[in-house]
Amino acid sequence: MEYKSDSQEALIANGTLSLVSNTWGRLRLKQSNASKAEAKLSKEHPTPERLVLWYQLQRQTDVHNVGHQLWSGGLLLMDFLLSRQLQLATAAVLELGCGVGLASVLAAQLGAQHVFATDVGSDLLQSVVASVERNNCTGCISVRELDWCAHDKLQTMLDNYDTLVSKTRDPNPDPKRPKTHQAGASVEFALTALDLNQLLGSESIIILAADVAYVDEWTAAFGKTLLALFHFFELNDKPCTCYLTVEKRINFSEDRLEVCSPTYEALQRHCLDLSELNVRRLELGFSQWTAYPRTNELELLELKLS
């Protein structure tokens, strides 16, 4: 089954997204309907009235490659970043399921201390690297592979962080010692203990995730990954908050004979309804920078450990 982002297609149709080639798009951002609070924040932290971001895109993919497209959840997350409600200057940003990487690029451009853009698959990660370079953010963003379904490997690295980071720093490392990255990840994009150490060097950590609920198995793995990271940062006395956007995709279920959103229900089971998490739905009163449909099915959630 092939998937196509209606939001991305709408941006192409209205000229906000220009197709410069078969793979490159130029996205023009322009603020509209700024609130009084945003106007005040804009004076304190100036933001250009217009922004241009480049990214590599595909217009139609299977479910395994939907990260190559730009979706409404990603556009909403970018609007939230541009609303200047987050203290990015003292924070490190970790994006889970970064897709085309635009939220990570924007977080870097808005002053985050450092950004880790993570997803899975060398083709997608290579395209994120190309977008990071074209947006002149090479020194601010690290592109890493983080496979939620390889949870045991991630948990092992988190559990052995102190040992791994000390060995990684060893000026005379043992060539026979195990690698400090997740098994199965390419060495080029491997997430290492030193990356975790860099995250811990900031005053706080902001986790970003946009529209990550597609397949039940992946959603369950996302919930486990998020909890593991929350507990790791708490253990190391580092404040951490996750901002998650989600679009409820409504379908009619022939089995249940009712209208429902199976992907959103899976996110509730595996993440939002967990007793270990505090979940708060945020108001969407901030301005839009692109003309996507901000419907009632779009949500912005703030997640913290209970």
Side-chain angles (χ1 to χ4, degrees):
M1 183 175 179
E2 293 293 304
Y3 292 80
K4 180 180 286 190
S5 169
D6 291 338
S7 297
Q8 182 172 263
E9 292 300 306
L11 294 178
I12 294 171
N14 64 35
T16 304
L17 175 59
S18 302
L19 298 179
V20 181
S21 67
N22 289 336
T23 57
W24 279 102
R26 182 176 63 236
L27 181 64
R28 296 179 178 87
L29 306 180
K30 182 180 179 181
Q31 189 176 28
S32 61
N33 303 320
S35 66
K36 291 182 179 179
E38 285 180 294
K40 180 180 178 181
L41 286 171
S42 183
K43 289 181 180 179
E44 298 171 358
H45 307 282
T47 301
E49 293 183 0
R50 293 177 175 82
L51 289 167
V52 175
L53 300 177
W54 295 82
Y55 74 101
Q56 286 194 320
L57 64 89
Q58 294 182 23
R59 297 184 67 177
Q60 187 166 304
T61 66
D62 60 22
V63 70
H64 296 279
N65 292 291
V66 291
H68 288 275
Q69 300 184 59
L70 184 58
W71 301 84
S72 293
L75 293 167
L76 176 61
L77 186 59
M78 291 163 63
D79 284 344
F80 178 59
L81 290 173
L82 285 161
S83 72
R84 290 294 194 170
Q85 297 182 46
L86 303 183
Q87 299 297 320
L88 291 172
T90 57
V93 173
L94 172 62
E95 186 174 10
L96 304 179
C98 69
V100 296
L102 286 189
S104 287
V105 166
L106 195 54
Q109 291 185 347
L110 292 174
Q113 282 192 350
H114 196 78
V115 179
F116 285 88
T118 72
D119 214 308
V120 64
S122 59
D123 288 346
L124 178 58
L125 295 174
Q126 288 284 5
S127 72
V128 175
V129 169
S131 297
V132 167
E133 292 174 348
R134 190 149 187 178
N135 287 290
N136 299 314
C137 294
T138 305
C140 311
I141 301 176
S142 299
V143 180
R144 297 290 185 263
E145 184 164 64
L146 179 53
D147 184 353
W148 310 332
C149 293
H151 175 74
D152 291 345
K153 304 299 181 181
L154 172 64
Q155 190 64 59
T156 298
M157 182 169 67
L158 298 178
D159 291 342
N160 295 280
Y161 163 74
D162 290 330
T163 301
L164 291 171
V165 77
S166 62
K167 286 186 175 181
T168 307
R169 286 172 171 167
D170 188 346
N172 300 300
D174 179 358
K176 296 182 180 180
R177 73 173 175 83
K179 298 286 186 182
T180 61
H181 60 77
Q182 292 177 272
S186 65
V187 174
E188 180 182 6
F189 295 116
L191 182 71
T192 70
L194 284 180
D195 294 328
L196 297 175
N197 188 63
Q198 185 171 359
L199 284 165
L200 294 176
S202 61
E203 288 186 16
S204 63
I205 294 164
I206 295 172
I207 297 176
L208 302 176
D211 219 354
V212 294
Y214 283 93
V215 177
D216 201 344
E217 177 187 358
W218 302 347
T219 306
F222 169 79
K224 287 184 177 180
T225 298
L226 184 62
L227 271 182
L229 291 168
F230 267 136
H231 286 303
F232 172 76
F233 294 134
E234 181 185 49
L235 184 65
N236 287 276
D237 299 317
K238 198 59 57 177
C240 179
T241 306
C242 174
Y243 295 95
L244 167 68
T245 61
V246 59
E247 182 177 5
K248 295 180 181 178
R249 292 176 169 83
I250 308 298
N251 299 301
F252 179 79
S253 171
E254 294 183 357
D255 294 332
R256 295 161 53 176
L257 297 179
E258 63 179 356
V259 174
C260 57
S261 177
T263 55
Y264 186 79
E265 292 171 3
L267 186 65
Q268 288 180 307
R269 286 195 308 274
H270 299 302
C271 186
L272 304 183
D273 290 345
L274 297 179
S275 60
E276 294 175 84
L277 294 179
N278 279 329
V279 180
R280 184 166 69 102
R281 284 165 176 79
L282 303 182
E283 296 294 328
L284 306 184
F286 44 86
S287 58
Q288 289 189 224
W289 287 68
T290 55
Y292 65 94
R294 191 182 282 181
T295 66
N296 292 332
E297 282 69 46
L298 275 175
E299 291 187 355
L300 171 62
L301 308 172
E302 177 188 82
L303 289 73
K304 296 183 178 181
L305 272 184
S306 301

